[in-house]
Amino acid sequence: MRSKVSPYSEIVPQELGGGVTRRVLAWLPEQMMVEVSFEQSAIGAEHTHPHTQCTFVLEGEFDFTVEGRVYRVRRGDTLAFASGERHGCICVEKGKLLDVFTPMREDFLK
């Protein structure tokens, strides 16, 4: 059995600086779920990675830049990023994102 149960109260948040905090919620080698919290005006720097990523806006408002194009997203909106696609965000209104990566982000566990 490879199933995992991760009680939220036991997940230690990782301070990333600049008003951004990450909680790695659950993972298997094939997939990972991560909650990222942003203070207003916090920046998720533009970057790329080999993983595919889906993002669900749990709360707040964000301006996402994807391959040079800006999208305003709010609670309930979703985004999907292909492997290697450049993306980043600015938090317009304090909020949280739920990110799902395939495969898992091993770099998030170090």
Side-chain angles (χ1 to χ4, degrees):
M1 181 170 147
R2 296 187 322 153
S3 301
K4 296 180 181 180
V5 176
S6 303
Y8 190 80
S9 62
E10 296 176 14
I11 300 170
V12 178
Q14 302 168 345
E15 294 293 331
L16 303 180
V20 182
T21 304
R22 173 173 62 215
R23 288 179 192 259
V24 177
L25 301 175
W27 70 94
L28 293 171
E30 303 83 8
Q31 188 175 59
M32 176 180 271
M33 184 177 290
V34 178
E35 177 193 81
V36 188
S37 300
F38 290 80
E39 294 297 325
Q40 185 173 357
S41 302
I43 297 172
E46 286 190 42
H47 62 284
T48 64
H49 45 74
H51 315 81
T52 60
Q53 175 181 342
C54 289
T55 297
F56 178 76
V57 181
L58 292 167
E59 55 189 61
E61 188 171 323
F62 297 82
D63 282 340
F64 265 87
T65 301
V66 183
E67 292 292 326
R69 186 168 175 196
V70 178
Y71 301 88
R72 174 70 52 100
V73 295
R74 296 170 181 84
R75 182 176 185 224
D77 292 340
T78 56
L79 304 103
F81 309 111
S83 174
E85 195 167 37
R86 178 166 284 289
H87 60 283
C89 69
I90 297 173
C91 182
V92 177
E93 177 186 308
K94 181 179 178 177
K96 290 183 182 183
L97 303 174
L98 182 64
D99 292 333
V100 177
F101 298 97
T102 303
M104 68 176 281
R105 297 281 307 256
E106 290 184 27
D107 55 317
F108 283 8
L109 299 179
K110 296 178 183 180

